[in-house]
Amino acid sequence: MSRTFVALALGVALSGCMALDDLSEAPPKLTGKMIAQMAKKGMKPESPVLVRIFKQESELEVWKVDKSGTYALLKTYPICRWSGELGPKTRTGDRHAPEGFYHVSAGMLNPNSQFYVSFNLGYPNRLESALGYTGEALMVHGACSSSGCYAMTDQGVGEIYAIVQKALAGGQDKFQVQAFPFRMTTANMAMHRGDPNMSFWRTMKEGYDAFEVTRRQPKVSVCERRYVFNKEFEGGEPTDPLAACPPVINQLEPQAMAKIEAEERKVDMAITGSLPMSTAMTAYSDGGMHPSFRALLKTQGPKKLAASVSAIKYPISRPDAALADPFDGR
């Protein structure tokens, strides 16, 4: 089997089962195959949904509540293109794709996007606005071009859009999007321990760990210039993201908190030097691309890849940077 055919087969398998010919101008609907996949995992099409995004791995996960009442992984999608660097978006024009906790309502879905269909992450959120961060229209959309968004290809975003739209139509008020720099394992935290964003990432990891331990959507509050998870406060929710947090009157059950605190201790040890600093990072160029799409970019070139993932053949953004891959040693 030729290298080109292997790369193409891998890309098609990862980016979804529909072809560009299957896309219409009408908003995408759930396919029978996806409904069957949900049923096999004990999920209903209208059950709540949650999305997690990982920059370094260039992956987007869709989770749904199953018959146990907790979230289970439905499907992992490769990200064709994201831009900027690891770390939160702080200003218009920095090309950074956002990192943070966002909540997407039905009004934030766009069935008439320039990039097929899309949904707005809601950047800047309450915390980011309070910190003075700027930017707008940061999306998850189709094609394979990014200047701060997460580009999933038309095929990929079509399937994701259909899944989240059905959950919102089924009664979910809004779904949570958790956008991380990388899978927040101890090893990854150690690899990036010299990064100036580490303090922010450690806060992000608290929410990551809460979901990993409970498989429930974490409750997100903002005070003291940071995210605070799964806590109830005296007098209700904090109203000023920059002010001190009110006294806590309730939080996660002790067993879950013990697991999260144990994970925090592991990270404490890792980032103080007990694990060697990884040399996986090479010279940073601009954003990332999932290895499956990078293989296609190498064999097909940017024009053919653009034609295969976008009905309007929207150009691949900065293809040379996409080929550079600063994470190739992970």
Side-chain angles (χ1 to χ4, degrees), residues 93-210:
D94 64 7
R95 292 186 58 82
H96 280 31
E99 293 174 13
F101 288 77
Y102 306 94
H103 295 86
V104 179
S105 62
M108 297 163 73
L109 272 58
N110 183 3
N112 302 305
S113 171
Q114 174 186 2
F115 299 98
Y116 182 42
V117 293
S118 64
F119 60 83
N120 193 322
L121 289 172
Y123 173 94
N125 60 24
R126 282 185 63 231
L127 176 61
E128 292 159 341
S129 292
L131 293 173
Y133 295 175
T134 58
E136 60 182 359
L138 279 301
M139 307 279 186
V140 173
H141 61 57
C144 192
S145 178
S146 171
S147 57
C149 297
Y150 293 100
M152 305 302 304
T153 76
D154 288 13
Q155 302 95 323
V157 80
E159 192 166 88
I160 296 165
Y161 186 99
I163 294 168
V164 302
Q165 191 279 329
K166 187 67 174 179
L168 292 171
Q172 187 176 12
D173 180 51
K174 52 191 174 182
F175 66 91
Q176 188 175 92
V177 178
Q178 306 171 4
F180 297 106
F182 39 75
R183 296 189 184 278
M184 307 203 85
T185 62
T186 301
N188 275 341
M189 296 293 282
M191 182 174 77
H192 295 283
R193 64 175 179 258
D195 194 287
N197 294 299
M198 180 53 64
S199 178
F200 171 67
W201 289 341
R202 293 206 65 174
T203 299
M204 293 275 289
K205 183 167 167 56
E206 293 172 20
Y208 175 91
D209 289 340

Side-chain angles (χ1 to χ4, degrees), residues 210-230:
F211 182 75
E212 288 287 300
V213 169
T214 67
R215 290 292 190 257
R216 293 185 175 89
Q217 176 177 302
K219 173 180 174 289
V220 182
S221 306
V222 288
C223 50
E224 295 183 1
R225 308 175 68 90
R226 55 164 287 170
Y227 297 112
V228 180
F229 303 97
N230 294 327

Side-chain angles (χ1 to χ4, degrees), residues 296-315:
L296 293 172
L297 181 59
K298 287 178 180 177
T299 56
Q300 295 183 351
K303 288 186 177 180
K304 285 188 177 180
L305 178 58
S308 70
V309 300
S310 168
I312 60 171
K313 303 179 182 179
Y314 204 93

